[in-house]
Amino acid sequence: MIQDKINFIKPTLSPFRNDIVGSFLRPERLKIAREQFKTNQISAIELRKIEDELIVDLIKKEEDVGLRAVTDGEFRRSWYHLDFFWGLQGVKKIKTAGWQLHDGSHARGEGAELTGVLGGKNHPFIEHFDFVKNHVSDGVQVKQTIPSPAYCLVQFEFPNVIEKTKQIYQSEDELITAIAKAYDEVLADFYAHGATVIQFDDSAWSNLIAANIVSDGGDGYQNFTKKEIDILKQKLLKVNNLTIEGAPASLTINAHICRGNYKSNWAYSGSYANIAEPLFTQEKVNAFYLEYDSDSDGGFDVLKKIDKQKWVVLGLLTSKQGELEDRNTVINRIEEASRYFDLNHLCLSPQCGFASSEEGNVLTEKQQWNKLRLIKSITDELW
């Protein structure tokens, strides 16, 4: 048995052996309340009261299922990423065509556009963090999730908003510096309010996972020239590392490398081999949460590129469907991964959140919690 190989260390910060990515299915009561708020049937205060009650209930459920780091399920957000962008100074909400999914369909059409200089002061997520911190049990940590600086960069360089961005920042280097500065203002506030762990949800690398190298005429979606790929990799790395370097030194920053997740659909599949250099070798995060819920996600051999002092969280259970994975299959896959990365630095989680947008994935709350119970049971056995 693989658990007999070594005496395992016990993580003191997320990622823990059994972990989560962050979002949870929105209860029907919350969905109704948000619709009522949009149509002026209830006030912001009334909506906030319902959110508070449901988040307190969620925290208890997370603790009861054995999680040592919990979130608010992103219950106050519509999206895993856009609400954070909208909370920065110099950003406004816009309508879009919606980002494209693997089958050619599109997500709900909302986005973000620059209206002025970026700033991160007094971000509304700080208050959200405080609420969770004030309702967890002793010894339970709050894991704060936010979209990565790299995805923020991609967001403001989308073709539909790039001209507005250039009106504010004449060069890409100026934009990268501004994003890192705004993020560091937010991170400093989180830290001052007691945050110990921040997770960057990073979809910026996703289209490079499945990138096709073409001789010329890259389309910026999946077809790139080699030069375009190299340039994109370096700027994504630059903005993430610049932000991390400016964050409080004792703030732990992890990264979830997301393939896109919307109503049980996704954007990209393929091996991490296309992005392992320089992401796995040079990004200055403490841990990588990696999606491995499908055979199309590639093998574990790329894990060899990750520094052995970092942590890898294997997303082996899908958050997209409710069918419960076979226990022995999950254990065997962990054993396979341990051939390429130290079992002492491996953890287990769902592959993504259960609701990267408020619509949520196509499974039930019961199925959601059953998956987390299975993860806890497996990690208790192995570690």
Side-chain angles (χ1 to χ4, degrees):
M1 296 292 289
I2 59 177
Q3 70 264 33
D4 296 329
K5 291 181 179 178
I6 52 177
N7 293 318
F8 295 111
I9 58 177
K10 294 183 178 180
T12 58
L13 286 172
S14 183
F16 293 104
R17 297 299 183 188
N18 62 308
D19 217 302
I20 51 172
V21 171
S23 63
F24 284 87
L25 294 172
R26 310 305 199 259
E28 190 62 26
R29 183 185 173 203
L30 179 56
K31 290 184 176 183
I32 292 171
R34 290 180 69 89
E35 285 300 317
Q36 289 175 327
F37 174 69
K38 289 177 185 177
T39 55
N40 298 315
Q41 297 178 61
I42 63 173
S43 67
I45 293 175
E46 291 172 308
L47 174 61
R48 181 60 179 255
K49 183 175 183 293
I50 293 169
E51 290 173 343
D52 287 351
E53 292 174 1
L54 292 173
I55 290 170
V56 170
D57 181 63
L58 175 71
I59 292 169
K60 184 179 186 303
K61 290 177 179 176
E62 290 179 83
E63 293 181 0
D64 287 347
V65 85
L67 291 171
R68 296 175 60 194
V70 305
T71 72
D72 65 359
E74 302 176 7
F75 279 11
R76 303 191 199 276
R77 308 187 209 179
S78 181
W79 299 92
Y80 79 96
H81 60 315
L82 288 171
D83 296 74
F84 179 83
F85 299 151
W86 296 332
L88 297 170
Q89 285 90 55
V91 179
K92 76 171 184 178
K93 179 179 179 178
I94 62 171
K95 294 293 184 181
T96 72
W99 43 279
Q100 186 172 325
L101 301 164
H102 85 285
D103 60 0
S105 63
H106 290 77
R108 175 163 40 97
E110 293 181 334
E113 179 181 276
L114 285 182
T115 60
V117 174
L118 278 167
K121 296 293 187 183
N122 303 312
H123 198 285
F125 279 24
I126 303 299
E127 186 178 353
H128 302 172
F129 170 84
D130 284 341
F131 183 86
V132 181
K133 183 186 68 174
N134 292 334
H135 287 86
V136 296
S137 299
D138 290 343
V140 176
Q141 294 170 6
V142 180
K143 179 171 87 164
Q144 179 64 47
T145 63
I146 61 175
S148 71
Y151 199 47
C152 187
L153 175 64
V154 169
Q155 182 71 43
F156 295 126
E157 290 190 330
F158 281 150
N160 63 315
V161 299
I162 184 65
E163 293 307 316
K164 291 291 182 68
T165 300
K166 288 179 177 178
Q167 292 174 16
I168 311 298
Y169 297 104
Q170 281 67 52
S171 73
E172 188 171 67
D173 281 344
E174 289 179 10
L175 176 60
I176 286 173
T177 300
I179 290 171
K181 180 181 178 182
Y183 263 73
D184 283 337
E185 289 174 342
V186 180
L187 294 178
D189 277 351
F190 276 130
Y191 185 73
H193 283 246
T196 56
V197 176
I198 300 291
Q199 179 180 295
F200 288 164
D201 288 321
D202 201 337
S203 301
W205 298 87
S206 294
N207 59 346
L208 294 181
I209 288 176
N212 300 313
I213 298 179
V214 297
S215 57
D216 57 22
D219 60 12
Y221 177 60
Q222 281 186 272
N223 298 308
F224 298 86
T225 65
K226 179 145 187 336
K227 182 178 180 181
E228 287 172 337
I229 289 176
D230 290 342
I231 291 173
L232 182 53
K233 284 180 179 179
Q234 288 304 315
K235 70 182 184 183
L236 299 181
L237 181 71
K238 179 179 180 179
V239 68
N240 280 350
N241 278 349
L242 188 61
T243 302
I244 294 168
E245 289 163 5
S250 57
L251 184 65
T252 296
I253 297 179
N254 301 322
H256 167 230
I257 309 304
C258 182
R259 299 169 182 269
N261 185 36
Y262 182 75
K263 294 198 291 188
S264 292
N265 207 335
W266 66 96
Y268 305 100
S269 61
S271 170
Y272 290 102
N274 278 354
I275 60 173
E277 295 279 359
L279 175 62
F280 289 169
T281 59
Q282 296 182 45
E283 187 156 284
K284 298 177 180 180
V285 294
N286 170 68
F288 289 106
Y289 289 68
L290 302 177
E291 301 189 1
Y292 273 113
D293 62 320
S294 168
D295 291 340
S296 63
D297 294 334
F300 297 122
D301 56 316
V302 293
L303 302 183
K304 293 186 293 185
K305 292 185 177 293
I306 301 175
D307 186 285
K308 64 182 180 181
Q309 298 305 314
K310 295 184 185 293
W311 294 82
V312 171
V313 186
L314 299 172
L316 297 178
L317 283 79
T318 188
S319 66
K320 301 186 190 79
Q321 287 89 37
E323 182 180 357
L324 195 61
E325 284 77 1
D326 176 73
R327 178 189 186 85
N328 289 331
T329 299
V330 175
I331 291 174
N332 289 339
R333 295 202 73 199
I334 295 171
E335 183 169 25
E336 181 185 355
S338 72
R339 300 170 194 163
Y340 302 99
F341 196 79
D342 185 2
L343 184 64
N344 213 353
H345 279 249
L346 288 176
C347 304
L348 181 63
S349 77
Q351 125 277 341
C352 195
F354 292 99
S356 298
S357 69
E358 61 185 316
E359 289 88 349
N361 285 344
V362 185
L363 72 165
T364 67
E365 289 188 48
K366 180 179 179 180
Q367 290 171 326
Q368 167 185 265
W369 294 111
N370 283 343
K371 285 177 181 278
L372 296 186
R373 291 187 185 94
L374 177 60
I375 289 172
K376 178 66 163 62
S377 173
I378 289 172
T379 58
D380 281 351
E381 176 183 336
L382 297 186
W383 286 284

